[in-house]
Amino acid sequence: MPDLAKLLWPDSVAIVGASSDTRGLRGRIVQIMRSHPYRGAVYPVSRSEAEVQGLKAYKSVADLPPTDLAALIIPARFVPQELESCGRAGIKAAIILSSGFAEEKGETGPALQREIQAIAKKYDMAVSGPNGEGFTNTAAALCPTFSPAMDPGEVALLPPAERTRGQVAVISQSGGMGYAFFDHGRPKELSFRYIVTTGNEACLEASDFAEFIIDEGKTAAILMLIEDLKNPATFERAAGKALRNGIPLIVNRLGASEAGTRAIAAHTAARGDDAAIRALFRKYGVIESNDLDAMVDIAAAFIAMGTRLPAGKRVAIASSSGGGGAWVADACALAGLDMPLLDDATRAQIDAYLPSYGCSQNPVDVTAQAIHERGYAEFARLAAESPNVDGVILVVTGRHPRFLLEDRAHLMALGRDTKKPVLLWSYTRPAAVCIDLLSEAGLPLFTNVHNCARAMRVMADYRAARDAARKE
Amino acid sequence: MPDLAKLLWPDSVAIVGASSDTRGLRGRIVQIMRSHPYRGAVYPVSRSEAEVQGLKAYKSVADLPPTDLAALIIPARFVPQELESCGRAGIKAAIILSSGFAEEKGETGPALQREIQAIAKKYDMAVSGPNGEGFTNTAAALCPTFSPAMDPGEVALLPPAERTRGQVAVISQSGGMGYAFFDHGRPKELSFRYIVTTGNEACLEASDFAEFIIDEGKTAAILMLIEDLKNPATFERAAGKALRNGIPLIVNRLGASEAGTRAIAAHTAARGDDAAIRALFRKYGVIESNDLDAMVDIAAAFIAMGTRLPAGKRVAIASSSGGGGAWVADACALAGLDMPLLDDATRAQIDAYLPSYGCSQNPVDVTAQAIHERGYAEFARLAAESPNVDGVILVVTGRHPRFLLEDRAHLMALGRDTKKPVLLWSYTRPAAVCIDLLSEAGLPLFTNVHNCARAMRVMADYRAARDAARKE
């Protein structure tokens, strides 16, 4: 097995095919690499340019100083010879961002892909791609990719440390979709450790990266977008480790539809055995979702709650909006959650705070008036203490930050002290300060009610799967 | 039948219970009313203040000049006597924002609600509420509500006229959820004509408002959040008119779950006969959804496409991301759409633009390279011309505006000239300039792939329902 550490944690990176022209992908990858504070060496390799974007360029791979990783972004027909040069130069890891391999019509592309496989095997190289979009290692500030999502923008790669309870990794065959997870998750203050795109997976596949990341032990949840599981045994080994370590795998396997399968065949030339894979997923508590936003939200909920997963499927709902409470109740029912009445002792405590038109059954119709007087957190705390429930969904409006900000101390205490999961749904688009506050409090904030209910459900299922695995 | 025009289009509004204290709801409603350029008269009624927020206040309803609409925001026990005063003063419309009626435990609240019903009947008054959150008429800049969504903010109530192809109305029993539709839709440049919240519906119900809005003929789609249909006959009349006029009703009826029903009973004291209502919905092509974002997106798609609805369920997908194409194909399959191969003539035209690793079957894997060279619009235009499909879903990345902005002229032409619906899914969060551009082009932009596929499906179903109704 080649060494993935050389690929994901290189001390030096050669960009084979680097260019000064930042309008093209060969220039963009250098520009993006340079815009992040990666502390290793970056070596452009260019036949035509002596200097690329301020960096000394090398005529060929053979001229390079000792190098850990080569990123190849050159026409497909030149890839085998350059990869061979890398092998000869002692480079032990490569990512191939070029297209035109097994996904191509005709014989040439697939033949080129087989050449890559042979070279990787010959030199025991860790090779990712071809037809990938590179990867990102945020801890190393390393971004050998042309993804626009890694453009240095107004947003830092990582949220502030005080808002980070754990990190997520993305492993995706599709480059565009892989970075789309980051694009959707970063504004929610989700902290990404890796985004790895694997393309055609001629050599390394998503499961190999998953196993490395699980073994490394620094990632709390993994988002995977899979078009094919080439070696189910590798996936099974990774999934088993993940479950034992309490790292949820949240997976969308594309190709559920005939047209989807057709698209995949054209895209990364993948195929799969559906029934066997589904059985594997069930066995290892793999969380399946086909909604990008839901996947991001589920990962965020797991990370915020850590080991505080629901012991069952019984949920209390507390809402300042009566309609909002009914809506989330419907969503919970659809997600297969139960909403029993709260016990009398808890109801009495809640009733003491409510006006006459409030209601403490379940959903708890807290009323806007009681929120004005007591804030949100106290109602979630009380509901969570009911022995009748395993978790709480708190309905808030995050548009106007006043009530959440005034309740800051209680929300921080709730996030720290709660033993049962507390998920928040904001039926209005939350203000940035509310996202920051709740992120710091470690309370997952949802803007889609179904994602919120579904997160509670899959957390309960995951805990059950984990407990079952431990008993074996 | 009382005159809803007096309620929704008053020349003068009295705020009974108005206050100078803008920390409370009785002050907020005046503040919000005053912050929008409503051209009618606003008369605060206050027992204790001679002037409220710069407006002359009246001691009692009896002292008022002739007034069209009274907004009552006073403790529940005073509502009947003040409503009676309104009736005696010749005021023909009232909205009651107070809580503490049929939704309250015990006998007092329900009895007060019956009193309201009797007074409304006696004076033939148009009465909305109680326990509502008021309404908004954007054309009149009239906002008798305390909803924070109507706070004068950075965003105008209406998008610019050049981006408006039609307007949507919201009718919701729940105030918080009613205004949440605006909160979610306005940033997508959806233009709202009315947001009406009906609360307990002691007198007027959502269907009455729907019928008025349909008869008025200025609204292209209606979003409804219903907890109960008290008079199915009224709903049936409204739904029949809506279908004949091609105004889709997009409805979430809360209470699908037992806990949801419980929440509703506590909230607005509503009940309903499920089977009969579902049959009504089917008969009149009512579009059901339980997802707020999806409802907003579906309304936006109908408004952008107007009469250009899909003649069937066959969709072409064109994507610059192979993984994105596969993802949308899966979503389309889930939504019950078909994705046949494109015809040979169309494929030949598309193939002429594609690199060797692209693919013109369906999904069309356009490849990033071809998008760089040709832009997005041309591929949607070509795909739409295939006789094998009824509509097109175009997968774009809206995060970096360059490719959409450079393609502006073609996108505008596509939105204007296409005879089949073209929906766009951006797998990255779109930049504001992209939202503006596509809104101006009249091309619906989705950020959630399932909402996109579902919109195409319900548009096809709606067209079929409309065609069937016309044949009868």
Side-chain angles (χ1 to χ4, degrees):
Chain A
M1 180 70 188
D3 184 7
L4 282 191
K6 287 283 186 221
L7 196 156
L8 291 174
W9 287 90
D11 287 328
S12 48
V13 183
I15 315 277
V16 181
S19 163
S20 295
D21 179 2
T22 55
R23 290 167 305 174
L25 299 181
R26 300 190 296 117
R28 298 253 312 125
I29 186 171
V30 179
Q31 185 184 34
I32 289 173
M33 284 279 286
R34 297 276 286 154
S35 69
H36 298 279
Y38 171 59
R39 295 173 68 173
V42 179
Y43 306 130
V45 176
S46 168
R47 291 184 189 181
S48 54
E49 302 184 59
E51 189 182 296
V52 170
Q53 301 182 42
L55 295 169
K56 181 198 166 186
Y58 296 82
K59 274 273 174 237
S60 77
V61 168
D63 299 335
L64 285 170
T67 299
D68 286 337
L69 171 67
L72 276 63
I73 183 158
I74 49 178
R77 66 185 182 281
F78 299 127
V79 165
Q81 70 197 55
E82 292 299 319
L83 191 66
E84 177 77 36
S85 300
C86 290
R88 251 185 271 126
I91 298 174
K92 300 305 281 183
I95 56 174
I96 302 169
L97 295 93
S98 322
S99 297
F101 294 86
E103 80 283 10
E104 183 160 289
K105 295 176 287 283
E107 287 304 310
T108 317
L112 288 169
Q113 183 154 327
R114 286 190 298 274
E115 287 188 62
I116 289 173
Q117 289 168 325
I119 297 163
K121 194 167 181 191
K122 176 172 159 194
Y123 292 102
D124 193 29
M125 287 173 83
V127 175
S128 181
N131 194 22
E133 206 161 313
F135 72 92
T136 293
N137 170 343
T138 59
L142 171 62
C143 304
T145 176
F146 50 77
S147 170
M150 290 297 108
D151 276 344
E154 58 291 3
V155 179
L157 284 184
L158 292 169
E162 70 269 19
R163 292 184 207 140
T164 304
R165 265 163 195 67
Q167 292 192 296
V168 69
V170 174
I171 310 169
S172 169
Q173 287 195 250
S174 163
M177 295 300 114
Y179 280 100
F181 285 104
F182 176 85
D183 185 64
H184 285 245
R186 180 63 189 83
K188 296 178 175 180
E189 296 295 61
L190 189 58
S191 180
F192 290 77
R193 184 168 175 82
Y194 299 107
I195 301 118
V196 180
T197 73
T198 56
N200 288 7
E201 302 187 338
C203 309
L204 294 170
E205 60 177 317
S207 305
D208 296 311
F209 286 101
E211 191 173 11
F212 176 90
I213 289 167
I214 294 159
D215 287 342
E216 188 193 45
K218 298 201 168 174
T219 297
I222 299 179
L223 292 164
M224 294 181 83
L225 182 64
I226 295 175
E227 304 187 6
D228 180 29
L229 289 179
K230 286 169 199 70
N231 298 297
T234 313
F235 181 83
E236 181 161 13
R237 198 171 59 234
K241 284 185 184 178
L243 187 61
R244 281 193 297 282
N245 292 308
I247 300 168
L249 300 183
I250 304 153
V251 177
N252 184 14
R253 199 165 76 85
L254 290 174
S257 64
E258 190 196 327
T261 305
R262 208 154 62 209
I264 286 168
H267 176 224
T268 54
R271 285 157 297 121
D273 173 358
D274 215 58
I277 291 168
R278 294 206 168 255
L280 260 187
F281 282 11
R282 269 195 307 277
K283 183 171 176 189
Y284 293 102
V286 171
I287 296 155
E288 282 197 89
S289 171
N290 55 31
D291 187 301
L292 195 151
D293 293 310
M295 293 173 76
V296 166
D297 283 349
I298 288 169
F302 270 104
I303 288 173
M305 286 299 131
T307 56
R308 299 171 293 178
L309 300 178
K313 291 186 276 189
R314 303 168 308 160
V315 181
I317 297 164
S319 177
S320 60
S321 157
W327 203 319
V328 77
D330 283 354
C332 285
L334 270 175
L337 296 165
D338 301 322
M339 288 146 284
L341 290 176
L342 301 186
D343 61 290
D344 290 343
T346 304
R347 289 189 64 170
Q349 287 188 282
I350 292 174
D351 278 332
Y353 291 154
L354 297 188
S356 58
Y357 52 91
C359 180
S360 66
Q361 46 180 26
N362 186 17
V364 179
D365 189 0
V366 178
T367 77
Q369 186 185 317
I371 297 292
H372 287 214
E373 291 167 6
R374 302 278 168 182
Y376 283 111
E378 178 66 359
F379 292 98
R381 191 188 69 77
L382 286 172
E385 288 188 357
S386 171
N388 293 8
V389 301
D390 305 303
V392 175
I393 293 177
L394 181 64
V395 181
V396 305
T397 171
R399 184 174 192 271
H400 281 256
R402 184 180 140 202
F403 294 113
L404 286 165
L405 292 183
E406 287 180 358
D407 206 24
R408 180 187 174 87
H410 294 119
L411 289 164
M412 297 296 287
L414 178 68
R416 188 183 61 233
D417 300 333
T418 185
K419 291 184 178 60
K420 296 177 185 171
V422 177
L423 310 185
L424 277 70
W425 171 48
S426 174
Y427 56 86
T428 50
R429 290 173 309 115
V433 287
C434 294
I435 296 173
D436 291 353
L437 163 60
L438 294 169
S439 172
E440 195 172 340
L443 293 169
L445 175 64
F446 297 79
T447 55
N448 182 287
V449 69
H450 297 286
N451 293 356
C452 181
R454 176 140 171 75
M456 186 69 85
R457 172 62 198 266
V458 300
M459 288 165 83
D461 290 349
Y462 187 75
R463 176 163 169 172
R466 236 204 128 182
D467 290 350
R470 280 180 172 160
K471 278 186 201 135
E472 278 174 11
Chain B
M1 181 69 187
D3 183 8
L4 282 191
K6 287 283 185 224
L7 197 155
L8 290 175
W9 287 91
D11 286 329
S12 48
V13 183
I15 316 277
V16 181
S19 163
S20 294
D21 180 0
T22 55
R23 290 168 306 176
L25 299 182
R26 301 190 295 116
R28 298 253 312 123
I29 185 172
V30 179
Q31 186 184 33
I32 289 172
M33 283 278 287
R34 297 274 288 155
S35 69
H36 296 280
Y38 171 58
R39 295 173 68 173
V42 179
Y43 306 129
V45 176
S46 168
R47 290 185 190 181
S48 54
E49 301 184 59
E51 190 181 295
V52 170
Q53 299 182 44
L55 294 171
K56 180 198 167 185
Y58 296 82
K59 275 272 173 237
S60 75
V61 168
D63 298 335
L64 286 170
T67 299
D68 286 337
L69 170 68
L72 276 63
I73 185 158
I74 50 178
R77 66 185 182 282
F78 299 128
V79 164
Q81 71 198 54
E82 292 301 319
L83 191 65
E84 177 77 35
S85 300
C86 290
R88 253 186 268 123
I91 298 174
K92 301 306 280 182
I95 57 174
I96 302 169
L97 295 93
S98 321
S99 297
F101 294 86
E103 81 282 10
E104 185 159 287
K105 295 176 287 281
E107 286 305 310
T108 317
L112 288 169
Q113 184 155 325
R114 286 192 296 275
E115 285 188 65
I116 288 173
Q117 290 168 325
I119 296 162
K121 193 166 179 188
K122 177 172 157 192
Y123 292 103
D124 193 30
M125 286 172 85
V127 175
S128 180
N131 195 24
E133 207 162 310
F135 72 92
T136 294
N137 170 343
T138 59
L142 170 63
C143 304
T145 177
F146 49 77
S147 170
M150 291 297 108
D151 276 344
E154 58 290 4
V155 178
L157 285 184
L158 292 170
E162 70 269 20
R163 292 186 208 140
T164 305
R165 264 162 196 68
Q167 293 191 297
V168 69
V170 173
I171 310 171
S172 169
Q173 287 194 248
S174 163
M177 294 302 114
Y179 280 100
F181 285 104
F182 176 84
D183 186 64
H184 285 246
R186 181 63 188 83
K188 296 178 175 180
E189 297 295 62
L190 189 58
S191 181
F192 290 78
R193 183 167 176 84
Y194 298 107
I195 301 118
V196 180
T197 74
T198 56
N200 288 7
E201 302 188 337
C203 308
L204 293 169
E205 61 177 318
S207 305
D208 296 313
F209 286 100
E211 191 173 9
F212 176 88
I213 289 166
I214 294 160
D215 286 342
E216 189 192 44
K218 297 200 168 175
T219 298
I222 299 178
L223 292 164
M224 293 180 85
L225 184 64
I226 294 175
E227 304 187 6
D228 180 30
L229 288 177
K230 287 168 198 70
N231 298 296
T234 312
F235 181 82
E236 181 162 11
R237 197 171 59 232
K241 282 184 184 177
L243 187 60
R244 280 192 298 280
N245 292 309
I247 301 169
L249 300 183
I250 304 153
V251 177
N252 185 13
R253 198 164 76 86
L254 291 175
S257 65
E258 191 196 327
T261 305
R262 209 154 62 210
I264 286 168
H267 177 226
T268 53
R271 285 157 296 121
D273 173 359
D274 215 59
I277 291 168
R278 292 203 171 258
L280 260 186
F281 281 12
R282 268 196 307 279
K283 182 170 175 188
Y284 293 102
V286 171
I287 297 155
E288 282 197 89
S289 171
N290 53 31
D291 187 299
L292 195 151
D293 292 310
M295 292 173 76
V296 165
D297 283 349
I298 289 169
F302 269 105
I303 287 173
M305 285 299 130
T307 55
R308 298 170 295 178
L309 300 179
K313 292 186 275 190
R314 303 169 307 162
V315 181
I317 297 164
S319 177
S320 59
S321 158
W327 203 319
V328 78
D330 284 354
C332 284
L334 271 175
L337 295 165
D338 301 322
M339 288 146 284
L341 290 177
L342 301 185
D343 60 290
D344 290 343
T346 304
R347 288 189 66 169
Q349 286 188 284
I350 293 173
D351 278 333
Y353 291 154
L354 298 188
S356 59
Y357 52 90
C359 181
S360 66
Q361 47 182 25
N362 186 18
V364 179
D365 189 0
V366 178
T367 77
Q369 185 185 317
I371 297 292
H372 287 214
E373 291 167 4
R374 302 280 168 182
Y376 285 109
E378 177 67 358
F379 291 99
R381 188 187 71 76
L382 286 173
E385 287 189 359
S386 171
N388 292 10
V389 302
D390 305 303
V392 175
I393 293 177
L394 181 64
V395 181
V396 305
T397 172
R399 184 172 191 273
H400 281 257
R402 183 181 140 203
F403 295 114
L404 285 166
L405 292 183
E406 288 180 357
D407 207 23
R408 180 188 173 85
H410 293 119
L411 289 164
M412 297 296 287
L414 178 67
R416 190 184 58 233
D417 299 334
T418 184
K419 292 185 176 60
K420 295 176 185 172
V422 176
L423 310 185
L424 277 69
W425 172 47
S426 175
Y427 56 86
T428 50
R429 290 172 309 114
V433 287
C434 293
I435 297 174
D436 292 352
L437 163 60
L438 294 169
S439 171
E440 195 173 339
L443 292 169
L445 175 65
F446 296 80
T447 55
N448 182 287
V449 68
H450 297 286
N451 293 357
C452 181
R454 176 139 171 76
M456 187 70 84
R457 172 62 197 266
V458 300
M459 288 164 84
D461 290 349
Y462 187 76
R463 175 163 169 173
R466 236 202 129 183
D467 289 350
R470 281 182 171 160
K471 278 188 200 131
E472 279 174 10

